Amino acid sequence: MQYMLMCCIDEALWEGLPDASRDAVMHDYHALIQEMVTSGTYRGGARLQSVASATTLREHNGQVVTHDGPFAEAREQLGGFHVVECRDLDEALALARRIPPLRVGGSVEVRPVDPAYRM
């Protein structure tokens, strides 16, 4: 089954970390991704640019309206995502626990991909 690991962190917290700390987290992150690629569990993913670059669309009275930036204020922002192939939720959670930004205040939401709508 495929799972999406949605990686979130407060961008201000991330930017406030010393460069050496951010570099260490990203080094470990790249190593984890390479391990998942090698093991065959990794299906794809990406790091996202800052929420300042986001555009949100909503429909209002039959018209699509665009807003610069995120529509909702949130303590954490989605920073990236990974789609992984795992036997079960326990295996997906084991991978998610290894996502390096967890150790500097990030969070990871693990959600099964609906196989009926997989592209």
Side-chain angles (χ1 to χ4, degrees), residues 22-87:
R22 283 198 316 265
D23 291 346
V25 166
M26 294 312 296
H27 176 270
D28 292 348
Y29 216 141
H30 292 297
L32 176 60
I33 298 300
Q34 186 56 50
E35 182 182 321
M36 289 190 293
V37 167
T38 301
S39 72
T41 59
Y42 197 73
R43 295 294 179 260
R47 180 178 175 183
L48 302 176
Q49 292 185 7
S50 168
V51 295
S53 68
T55 303
T56 301
L57 288 82
R58 298 277 185 201
E59 186 173 321
H60 182 71
N61 295 329
Q63 299 294 317
V64 175
V65 179
T66 61
H67 302 273
D68 290 337
F71 187 73
E73 291 296 320
R75 187 175 60 85
E76 295 178 329
Q77 295 79 38
L78 180 63
F81 65 94
H82 310 287
V83 177
V84 295
E85 186 78 35
C86 297
R87 289 182 309 275

Side-chain angles (χ1 to χ4, degrees), residues 89-109:
L89 177 60
D90 289 337
E91 184 180 10
L93 292 173
L95 282 175
R97 283 184 191 96
R98 297 179 59 205
I99 302 279
L102 284 173
R103 68 178 183 242
V104 293
S107 67
V108 179
E109 180 179 338

